Amino acid sequence: MIRRYRSHTEGSRPVSTLGHYREEMESEVTLPPVFRERLADLFSQIEKEFETLYASNVALQDRIDALTERLEVCSTAGDEKPTREVQDVVDYSAKTKRGAQLSQKIKTTYKASTSKLVSSFRAPNTAYSLVRNYRGHRDGVWEVTVSCFSHQVVGTASADHTARLFSIESGTCLLVYAGHQGSVNAIRFHPNQDLVLTASGDHTAHIWRAQFSAPLAVPDGHKSHSSGEDEIDVSEKEDGTDGEYGEHISDCQTVRNHLLELNAHSDVLIAADWLAGGAQVITASWDRSAALHDADTGDVINVLTGHDQELSDVHAHPTQRLVVTSSKDMTFRLWDFRDSALLVNVFQGHTQPVTSAVFASGDKVVSGSDDRTVRVWDMRNMRSPIATIRTDSAVNRISVSPVQNLIAIPHDNRHIRLYDINGVRIGRLPRSNRQGHSRMVCAVSWADEAAATNLFSCGFDRQVLGWHVSTQVKE
């Protein structure tokens, strides 16, 4: 029953196997024959069981892979058939486990791993649809955000050295800001004025006015065309498809002049944001520091130091004087400006660079990392996360919806996943050859959850996509 394997090369030593082990045991160990036979028989049974287990797992994985694709299709169509299919997988895995004659420990381990695989395939209870493609950028888009002052406008920051403003409803490009000399890495809107803040690789942040002559919406079926350097062929798309999602190219106004330049840093500015009220601005840089500026004069009020490596993002609380900075040093820091004595709290828990940390309602902070996890923290107890979401790809700039606290997670592997604030999986946005991103998704941003387009995403494929996500989540 025990097999022996030997090399086909003359003079080589036998490969170490159970058979080889038995030969050595017979020649060197003075064990009674009855025990030797019993031990050999046990090893043989274990070997057989692992072979059976391996074959069963391969078959189960193939079945699950096939069902994954069918579930993604049905999540859009609202078909309930995958629920029965998943039940078949559960029944199949149960039969496989019943046939195994392993030790109790091996049985428990196998049962837990199989249950974890199957439990992720829940019946979808949300609906997703791609509404619009906002086109115009000529290089990767690093960030997308929705205007707080005018909820009809979405802004984008790109490696093509420009920022763009689009009409959410029509897809029309309203304005191109071309005042930076490097990649535009972040874009944020003033909370109650038509001002925009952009951070760039040219070591500066700019404040400029979002005034445009183009209308926010155009009649259905109407398309206007750009001229000069901003001309774009609407039929041209990187993946070869046409503008099927109703995007509009307009006479996009180009602006190069800024109202204020912030130049307190000696390296790339990776992000910038407005503090509550908009009277001050916080910038984050690869020089390992953040700086607080007066938004009217540009004067530096405070320089925030402490991170050991480059900063990767910064976000301000929408209503309180709180700021959270993310860093490649695997930590993020909470800065409290509500008291004259600046309070700083360091969050440790990730094992790779923290790519994003944002505020959520209920005194919570949500962080994402290259370690493929998203963690939810309570600001009142920062010793350990209250929820941990484990994924299969590095996480980029996340966004949390303000009402239902739904977490949208953009990934390096082109997917966008949705979870609730407790770490329960909601679903994944569809991605196919005609929908979704074809390269890394860099950032996402929630809008009004009741709107026709309530989630935006941008990626290294130059695309900016507007989605409708039905947020009627079952309890």
Side-chain angles (χ1 to χ4, degrees):
M1 293 176 65
I2 299 179
R3 294 167 293 179
R4 295 181 175 85
Y5 299 92
R6 294 183 182 273
S7 172
H8 294 289
T9 305
E10 183 178 358
S12 63
R13 297 184 61 186
V15 179
S16 179
T17 63
L18 293 176
H20 184 215
Y21 171 76
R22 184 180 180 185
E23 290 178 355
E24 292 181 347
M25 181 179 66
E26 292 174 346
S27 61
E28 299 178 8
V29 181
T30 58
L31 196 66
V34 61
F35 293 114
R36 286 204 302 269
E37 292 299 329
R38 178 59 177 163
L39 184 60
D41 183 60
L42 290 174
F43 273 119
S44 177
Q45 291 183 38
I46 293 174
E47 184 181 22
K48 283 185 177 181
E49 295 297 346
F50 270 106
E51 289 177 352
T52 303
L53 177 62
Y54 177 77
S56 299
N57 275 332
V58 170
L60 180 60
Q61 186 61 54
D62 292 341
R63 187 80 176 275
I64 290 176
D65 290 341
L67 287 175
T68 302
E69 299 300 324
R70 296 168 69 177
L71 283 171
E72 291 176 1
V73 174
C74 294
S75 64
T76 303
D79 191 354
E80 296 184 356
K81 185 177 180 181
T83 304
R84 297 191 293 272
E85 295 287 352
V86 171
Q87 185 59 46
D88 291 341
V89 176
V90 177
D91 295 340
Y92 173 78
S93 62
K95 292 177 182 178
T96 303
K97 289 185 288 182
R98 285 197 295 269
Q101 300 296 323
L102 302 175
S103 67
Q104 188 61 38
K105 183 177 180 180
I106 296 177
K107 285 182 180 179
T108 303
T109 303
Y110 173 58
K111 181 178 179 181
S113 60
T114 305
S115 298
K116 186 177 181 180
L117 282 172
V118 176
S119 64
S120 63
F121 297 96
R122 302 184 303 151
N125 49 34
T126 51
Y128 320 105
S129 59
L130 179 58
V131 179
R132 200 172 305 282
N133 191 333
Y134 302 86
R135 301 181 55 222
H137 283 295
R138 296 176 174 84
D139 207 336
V141 185
W142 297 124
E143 188 167 84
V144 58
T145 187
V146 180
S147 171
C148 304
F149 180 68
S150 171
H151 295 286
Q152 302 179 66
V153 177
V154 62
T156 57
S158 171
D160 65 8
H161 297 193
T162 70
R164 286 178 179 254
L165 305 184
F166 295 91
S167 166
I168 292 177
E169 181 180 349
S170 68
T172 305
C173 177
L174 303 171
L175 185 148
V176 176
Y177 180 71
H180 284 291
Q181 302 301 312
S183 169
V184 184
N185 300 320
I187 180 169
R188 311 285 168 87
F189 289 94
H190 192 282
N192 48 45
Q193 297 182 38
D194 61 347
L195 299 177
V196 185
L197 172 66
T198 49
S200 173
D202 62 10
H203 303 186
T204 69
H206 289 177
I207 296 176
W208 44 278
R209 192 171 299 280
Q211 289 185 337
F212 32 79
S213 57
L216 290 178
V218 297
D220 291 341
H222 172 75
K223 290 186 180 181
S224 57
H225 298 279
S226 64
S227 60
E229 65 176 292
D230 294 316
E231 183 174 357
I232 299 168
D233 183 0
V234 296
S235 64
E236 182 178 312
K237 198 172 182 182
E238 194 172 20
D239 60 2
T241 62
D242 57 13
E244 66 179 298
Y245 303 116
E247 57 269 34
H248 300 277
I249 306 301
S250 70
D251 296 313
C252 200
Q253 176 185 359
T254 300
V255 174
R256 301 182 186 277
N257 297 325
H258 51 263
L259 301 176
L260 188 65
E261 180 176 277
L262 309 176
N263 50 16
H265 295 280
S266 60
D267 209 333
V268 169
L269 263 71
I270 197 64
D273 203 0
W274 304 88
L275 260 69
Q280 295 174 340
V281 166
I282 187 78
T283 56
S285 171
W286 281 3
D287 65 9
R288 306 183 183 185
S289 71
L292 184 65
H293 307 258
D294 185 289
D296 293 326
T297 65
D299 294 338
V300 177
I301 300 172
N302 203 341
V303 177
L304 313 181
T305 59
H307 282 292
D308 295 329
Q309 295 187 36
E310 297 94 331
L311 274 64
S312 56
D313 200 5
V314 62
H315 279 275
H317 193 282
T319 60
Q320 302 183 52
R321 291 178 54 78
L322 297 171
V323 170
V324 61
T325 54
S326 312
S327 173
K328 294 182 180 180
D329 64 8
M330 300 183 288
T331 71
F332 64 96
R333 293 179 176 236
L334 178 65
W335 310 81
D336 189 345
F337 294 97
R338 294 174 297 185
D339 193 281
S340 57
L342 178 61
L343 301 178
V344 184
N345 292 287
V346 181
F347 291 72
Q348 296 176 322
H350 290 287
T351 59
Q352 293 292 331
V354 179
T355 53
S356 179
V358 298
F359 291 98
S361 61
D363 291 332
K364 292 181 176 60
V365 175
V366 182
S367 61
S369 169
D370 281 342
D371 65 8
R372 304 181 179 184
T373 67
V374 173
R375 300 176 187 268
V376 182
W377 309 76
D378 190 329
M379 288 191 290
R380 296 164 295 189
N381 181 13
M382 298 173 293
R383 295 180 181 178
S384 61
I386 59 177
T388 298
I389 301 168
R390 303 188 184 278
T391 69
D392 60 352
S393 182
V395 176
N396 296 312
R397 289 183 174 175
I398 59 180
S399 179
V400 181
S401 64
V403 178
Q404 295 197 25
N405 264 357
L406 298 181
I407 307 169
I409 307 173
H411 290 288
D412 277 2
N413 66 358
R414 303 170 291 173
H415 289 301
I416 302 171
R417 290 181 169 85
L418 303 179
Y419 285 79
D420 69 14
I421 199 68
N422 299 313
V424 177
R425 181 178 181 270
I426 303 301
R428 184 178 70 186
L429 268 60
R431 192 191 66 79
S432 65
N433 59 345
R434 298 183 71 85
Q435 288 193 46
H437 291 278
S438 60
R439 300 183 70 179
M440 174 181 70
V441 187
C442 299
V444 289
S445 179
W446 285 99
D448 183 358
E449 294 174 64
T453 307
N454 55 10
L455 180 63
F456 298 87
S457 63
C458 64
F460 206 60
D461 56 3
R462 309 180 187 181
Q463 292 195 93
V464 180
L465 303 180
W467 305 84
H468 175 71
V469 178
S470 173
T471 55
Q472 299 300 318
V473 183
K474 296 179 182 179
E475 295 295 336

